[in-house]
Amino acid sequence: MTYPFSAVVGMDDMRLALLLNAVSPAVGGVLVRGEKGTAKSTTVRALAAVLPPVAVVPGCRFACDPAAPDPACPDGPHEVTADAPVRPARLVELPVGASEDRVVGSLDLERALTEGVKAFEPGLLAAAHRGVLYVDEVNLLHDHVVDLLLDAAAMGTAYVEREGVSVRHAARFLLVGTMNPEEGELRPQLLDRFGLTVEVAAPRDPAERAEVVRRRFASDADPAGFAATWSAEETALAERIAEARARLPRVVLSDAALRQVTAVCAAFDVDGLRADLVTARAAIAHAAWSGRDEVTEDDVRVAARLALPHRRRRNPFDAPGLDEETLDEALSDSRPDDDGPDGDGPDGDGPDGDGPGGGGAPPPGPSADDGGNGSPTGEGGTEASPPATAPRGEGGGRADASPAPDRAAAAPSEPFRARRLKVPGIGAGAAGRRSRARSERGRVVGSTKPGGSVTTLHLVDTVLAAAPHQRARGRTGPGLRLAREDLRQATLEGREGNLVLFVVDASGSMGSRARMGAVKGAVLSLLLDAYQRRDKVGLVTFRGTAAEVALPPTWSVEAAAARLTELPTGGRTPLAAGLVAAHDVLRVERIRDPQRRPLLVVVTDGRATGTRGGAALTEAHAAAALLAATGTAAVVVDCESGPVRLGLARTLGTALGGQTLRLEELAADALAATVRSARAA
């Protein structure tokens, strides 16, 4: 039994965004961001019940509209007919682990090659046509699968290409994704592809929370009766959506309203023109939903609040948001001037042209001095800014029992583009951009005999396997006679994401605030790099008398950056405790996710102090040997400075069986300079 859409308490922005997309799927879908337990999935699943039913061609696996069937439908051709069965709109859920073939469909390559038949098995995109495609935890989905979804949603067509055999079919659906930001963000490029984004949170009003619990209990006790209670409101809501859809083609977007849309987008300095298109479409849908035949300023305001916040992110650590004061200013500046004879047309340019928007100048807005490209990927030297410090709630770190006082947290220095650190060998983890791995996507490196169906055919090896048997199979003409045993599955090599576990020395031996700021800036740069390469990250710190798992492995590099920024320093250097804590974290993660290979990054000067004097360094090297015995790939970032250097970090790197880099060698520019010097020599 589906929970009634009308019975969902609160979540006004989320409900409105879903309804606007139900009225006009061209808006581009909805991304719902929110903490766990906020009824995101419940609300989305309830949406299907209020969508208008659809008429379908009998027997068509692609839900073609009988009034206008798809001429390229694989099950076609269909004749136009007015008498066709009607069924409810579907809500199709896409699991996080879905493969590309499961999403877009698959071709039977064996039949295609041996019989010349395009035997196509539809995927989830076909099932969602003219309905809703729901992706829970969309931020955990592989990037290439998200790209497929967004491309299909934008074009309304799904394509399947396999070794020169292609199939296309219509795939127009309302795309809804939900995610918990604590588990990691979507890349800004993918965020931009979602039409609208809303932030949801649990209500803080006790009365509203009590009503949520009351309704849930009522639904659990009598699902049918609870649904019947809300059936009248559900029916009215479905009728209103149908009426808004019918009104949508008649809604007029005037030049004045369009100017407001573009002025708002310019004021918030969003990249590209997709924001303008989405905002305009959402404003038209809102006007239709509100029963109006012309877009008003209120429609533009509502559309901007839903379409622009996620498009303002300049780097992964920027929180999405929209400044209401800037929105009001942009809307007012773009209104036709009605202040008297000083006005000069719809621009409102007075004789001085020095007011906001005067003289044809663009509306004021937050500037981004980013070299003109605003790249969210951090590929330049200083595009990304340090994240804002957020309260942790449990204190900045473990209390230091040593007599040395804590120093206040040093601000990170400006991050830079980091060199790519990688795990040696070839893995088989989830797709990413760091280390070599066998994967579903990448370059062809060989072939194998398939155990099941062939998804990626190695054509040359298939032909070579079949060639010696052509005479025995009675071949007389130019055609090639193939058998099942001839087929070869291509072996692909791509890149995987890893677990990057940072172990950061926050003791007093790290020296001055300027030095600790440089260390934090370097780790922040590595976090940016981990974000771009789709890694999980974790953070262990050590200072005083013990180590602390400041952040268990997570997809959220934002959380790691916040913990790093507020990290205080001071006290002794329990290096062994930090390494043992890292060993424990990695041991648990190997059980949880055995395919994801770890990369340990130890940021320290190599010193070790403790209550047992010189034994502390011996204990640290013993802990390093314990990590090395597990085969963990490690990199030690040497933070030692000054004219006299002991080389303790390099000794630690040797004990870990890993690589040692100086702090200044982490930058990609430093690596390029080293390569150039080596070539010149």
Side-chain angles (χ1 to χ4, degrees):
M1 179 69 67
T2 302
Y3 197 89
F5 189 80
S6 300
V8 177
V9 180
M11 310 295 178
D12 292 339
D13 282 348
M14 178 180 177
R15 287 162 54 90
L16 179 59
L18 291 171
L19 290 170
L20 293 183
N21 273 271
V23 171
S24 175
V27 169
V30 185
L31 176 64
V32 183
R33 298 161 43 92
E35 59 195 17
K36 52 188 175 294
T38 49
K40 301 186 295 294
S41 301
T42 300
T43 308
V44 174
R45 292 189 178 103
L47 176 66
V50 299
L51 293 178
V54 295
V56 296
V57 173
C60 178
R61 297 173 297 168
F62 302 87
C64 279
D65 185 351
D70 179 12
C73 176
D75 285 355
H78 304 303
E79 294 183 0
V80 177
T81 176
D83 185 16
V86 176
R87 62 161 175 79
R90 291 174 178 165
L91 184 140
V92 176
E93 295 194 39
L94 190 152
V96 170
S99 65
E100 182 176 334
D101 286 342
R102 182 73 182 96
V103 174
V104 300
S106 59
L107 288 169
D108 189 333
L109 292 175
E110 183 176 355
R111 292 189 63 192
L113 292 174
T114 59
E115 303 175 27
V117 175
K118 287 185 181 180
F120 180 66
E121 181 65 29
L124 296 176
L125 296 183
H129 180 46
R130 304 176 68 199
V132 180
L133 182 62
Y134 172 44
V135 188
D136 193 13
E137 307 293 352
V138 65
N139 51 325
L140 303 183
L141 202 63
H142 291 173
D143 282 355
H144 73 277
V145 176
V146 179
D147 283 327
L148 288 172
L149 294 179
L150 296 173
D151 285 341
M155 297 185 295
T157 305
Y159 294 90
V160 183
E161 304 283 345
R162 289 290 187 276
E163 300 297 337
V165 182
S166 63
V167 173
R168 62 162 296 275
H169 63 83
R172 293 183 294 275
F173 48 82
L174 194 168
L175 177 63
V176 183
T178 56
M179 59 175 282
N180 182 351
E182 294 176 357
E183 296 173 344
E185 288 284 357
L186 277 172
R187 289 186 291 121
Q189 296 92 329
L190 297 179
L191 271 176
D192 183 58
R193 299 287 295 279
F194 278 94
L196 310 180
T197 296
V198 292
E199 298 275 344
V200 298
R204 296 294 180 253
D205 180 19
E208 193 170 353
R209 296 172 74 99
E211 182 61 23
V212 172
V213 175
R214 191 178 298 115
R215 293 187 187 181
R216 177 57 190 262
F217 280 179
S219 176
D220 291 344
D222 183 10
F226 183 76
T229 303
W230 295 93
S231 61
E233 291 192 33
E234 293 283 280
T235 301
L237 186 59
E239 291 174 352
R240 185 177 175 186
I241 292 174
E243 292 172 0
R245 282 188 175 183
R247 183 181 294 109
L248 189 69
R250 303 196 303 270
V251 176
V252 175
L253 178 67
S254 65
D255 286 344
L258 178 58
R259 182 175 178 81
Q260 285 188 316
V261 169
T262 56
V264 167
C265 294
F268 285 105
D269 195 28
V270 295
D271 293 332
L273 293 173
R274 184 177 285 118
D276 304 67
L277 291 169
V278 170
T279 305
R281 287 170 178 160
I284 294 171
H286 188 264
W289 172 252
S290 303
R292 292 188 289 270
D293 291 331
E294 185 171 357
V295 173
T296 66
E297 182 177 310
D298 181 60
D299 299 320
V300 176
R301 180 187 301 277
V302 170
R305 288 180 59 246
L306 297 174
L308 298 185
H310 62 296
R311 293 186 163 89
R312 300 193 60 228
R313 299 185 69 195
R314 293 297 179 187
N315 70 69
F317 303 145
D318 288 343
L322 200 69
D323 180 49
E324 292 287 344
E325 187 174 325
T326 304
L327 177 60
D328 292 339
E329 192 173 305
L331 288 171
S332 64
D333 288 347
S334 58
R335 292 188 195 119
D337 186 37
D338 54 3
D339 291 336
D342 287 342
D344 187 21
D347 291 345
D349 296 340
D352 296 333
D354 57 358
S367 62
D369 186 10
D370 55 9
N373 58 11
S375 170
T377 62
E379 289 296 324
T382 60
E383 285 96 282
S385 57
T389 301
R392 281 181 54 182
E394 72 250 27
R398 187 181 299 274
D400 188 359
S402 68
D406 291 349
R407 301 186 182 95
S413 63
E414 196 72 16
F416 49 81
R417 186 166 65 92
R419 68 191 297 174
R420 179 168 66 91
L421 307 177
K422 58 186 178 181
V423 179
I426 300 178
R433 295 182 176 84
R434 183 170 298 279
S435 306
R436 296 171 60 196
R438 298 280 188 254
S439 65
E440 296 180 357
R441 298 171 67 88
R443 62 187 182 92
V444 178
V445 295
S447 67
T448 58
K449 282 190 175 184
S453 60
V454 178
T455 56
T456 305
L457 182 73
H458 196 298
L459 187 57
V460 173
D461 284 3
T462 298
V463 172
L464 290 175
H469 308 291
Q470 296 306 294
R471 181 174 296 180
R473 292 172 183 171
R475 171 184 168 184
T476 57
L480 185 68
R481 294 201 171 185
L482 291 174
R484 167 70 188 176
E485 58 268 20
D486 299 329
L487 299 180
R488 295 293 183 269
Q489 172 80 22
T491 302
L492 305 179
E493 183 180 300
R495 294 195 183 277
E496 65 178 359
N498 298 110
L499 165 61
V500 182
L501 181 62
F502 294 94
V503 180
V504 179
D505 185 347
S507 67
S509 72
M510 294 297 285
S512 67
R513 286 176 57 83
R515 182 178 168 199
M516 195 60 197
V519 169
K520 289 185 176 182
V523 178
L524 185 63
S525 303
L526 292 172
L527 283 170
L528 280 166
D529 184 67
Y531 171 85
Q532 295 157 14
R533 300 190 188 281
R534 306 300 293 162
D535 296 317
K536 288 180 74 173
V537 296
L539 178 63
V540 173
T541 63
F542 58 94
R543 53 185 288 271
T545 59
E548 176 190 10
V549 181
L551 187 71
T554 176
W555 293 102
S556 179
V557 295
E558 297 88 342
R563 302 291 171 92
L564 175 72
T565 302
E566 65 189 10
L567 181 67
T569 58
R572 293 176 176 174
T573 312
L575 177 57
L579 297 176
V580 170
H583 177 272
D584 292 342
V585 169
L586 295 178
R587 177 177 53 81
V588 173
E589 284 301 305
R590 285 191 183 94
I591 298 172
R592 289 178 176 171
D593 190 356
Q595 295 295 325
R596 187 174 295 275
R597 297 188 295 164
L599 175 63
L600 182 69
V601 179
V602 183
V603 185
T604 181
D605 56 11
R607 290 181 171 86
T609 58
T611 58
R612 298 176 59 188
L617 195 58
T618 303
E619 291 176 353
H621 287 175
L626 184 65
L627 280 163
T630 65
T632 302
V635 175
V636 176
V637 179
D638 184 0
C639 302
E640 191 176 22
S641 62
V644 179
R645 300 185 180 184
L646 304 178
L648 297 176
R650 188 166 299 278
T651 304
L652 176 64
T654 302
L656 284 167
Q659 181 182 13
T660 302
L661 297 172
R662 295 199 52 76
L663 193 63
E664 57 270 19
E665 294 175 336
L666 284 177
D669 294 341
L671 175 63
T674 302
V675 172
R676 286 194 298 268
S677 299
R679 288 176 177 173

